[in-house]
Amino acid sequence: MGDVEASSANPKRAQGRLCSICGEKRPALKRPKTLEEICRECFYNVFEDEIHKVIVENNLFKCGERVAIGASGGKDSTVLAYVLSELNRRHSYGLDLFLLSVDEGITGYRDDSLETVKRNEIQYGLPLKIVSYKDLYGWTMDEIVKAIGLKNNCTFCGVFRRQALDRGAALLKADKLVTGHNADDIAETVLLNILRGDIARLSRCTYITTGEDGPIPRCKPFKYTYEKEIVMYAYFKKLDYFSTECIYSPNAYRGFAREFIKDLERIRPRAILDIIRSGENFRISTFTRMPEQGTCKRCGYISSQKLCKACLLLEGLNRGLPKLGIGRTKGHNGVNKDDEQQKISHSREKGSSLQSKQCGTLDF
């Protein structure tokens, strides 16, 4: 009786104990993005509906397309595979979905996470294709780290991984490649490109679809989805995912941007979306000289230089000079050029006896 009287005396307090959407069940969480207190079922609905809305409003897919899902076994790609397969069935997208994984060759990390992906293949009924650095480039990340050390290893991995995903998607004859990049990731990338002064990447890093002029377009259905909500969704749905961080990533430059974003989010949750909106509305001066898009003369991959970054890095590794692929310098005309390209050309002129492996020919 006392509880009833207390509820009548303070109706706002009583109302706050119920889901702010359905008004029937007790809330299970407070949404990081909106701070609404909602129940599990309503959370599932709004989470999935928001992603469906992003897909539809941005025309990410066409009926009948073959779509490769970049699957690492982590929370983002696992939730992406689950949600995309659910939405494909529920809303009749008519997509042919596949899981695509890259084995970088990191003992104690990638070998374990790939076991998770193999379980996801069975759980979601999606065919799985695995491509490896060893097969594509002749090197594993363990071998690269042994040669280069821990300081710049993420440069090698990032460049090789991007190309490996495209090559895997080409093997699957995919029309689109989707990745689990979330709102936090994109906000971090905006900040990183500002800090690096990378105008070319800053101008396109918030695009929801990239590479439309390249071999295979990439889509990011989680562009406006917070990392915390992805974790909550995976937890409540009891999805099977791998949660260990890469053993070589603690020194990554991106980690500092990530910590900064987390601090901002604690102060103002909408800061993540605001940074993305800012990135979307950046206007690059017409006087800014942008790199011209071409193709690598060795492997055919998209590149603004004669050789793509993967070929440059790989040539440095194969010549026993791994640092040739790191660093930038300015040419005589003030345009940034890769320092390693000049050094590699010089070593060729001297008649080096070392023969570089090609990074592969892309057949699209």
Side-chain angles (χ1 to χ4, degrees), residues 202-217:
L202 180 60
S203 66
R204 63 177 185 268
C205 68
T206 57
Y207 293 172
I208 195 165
T209 300
T210 57
E212 291 176 293
D213 55 345
I216 298 171

Side-chain angles (χ1 to χ4, degrees), residues 232-335:
M232 290 176 179
Y233 187 90
Y235 174 75
F236 287 135
K237 285 281 188 178
K238 294 181 171 57
L239 300 185
D240 184 4
Y241 69 93
F242 186 76
S243 58
T244 303
E245 287 290 325
C246 175
I247 59 176
Y248 297 138
S249 69
N251 296 318
Y253 189 40
R254 177 176 285 272
F256 297 101
R258 181 174 296 121
E259 288 303 313
F260 181 60
I261 292 288
K262 296 302 179 191
D263 290 341
L264 286 177
E265 186 186 10
R266 279 190 283 271
I267 299 168
R268 188 167 182 270
R270 281 198 61 84
I272 291 173
L273 289 180
D274 290 340
I275 291 172
I276 294 174
R277 298 296 184 194
S278 297
E280 290 173 338
N281 291 302
F282 275 133
R283 294 295 177 265
I284 308 302
S285 169
T286 54
F287 298 104
T288 302
R289 188 171 177 179
M290 302 292 277
E292 294 181 8
Q293 191 87 296
T295 56
C296 175
K297 290 191 173 181
R298 177 173 295 171
C299 72
Y301 194 67
I302 52 174
S303 175
S304 58
Q305 302 288 336
K306 288 183 180 179
L307 296 182
C308 69
K309 191 72 170 178
C311 283
L312 290 170
L313 292 171
L314 189 59
E315 183 155 355
L317 286 170
N318 289 324
R319 288 177 179 272
L321 301 168
K323 290 188 178 180
L324 287 179
I326 306 295
R328 297 175 70 87
T329 187
K330 281 193 174 183
H332 67 278
N333 59 356
V335 179

Side-chain angles (χ1 to χ4, degrees), residues 95-114:
L95 304 177
D96 201 2
L97 301 175
F98 301 84
L99 296 177
L100 172 61
S101 292
V102 176
D103 181 2
E104 299 94 341
I106 304 175
T107 306
Y109 168 67
R110 183 55 72 209
D111 46 358
D112 290 340
S113 68
L114 283 175

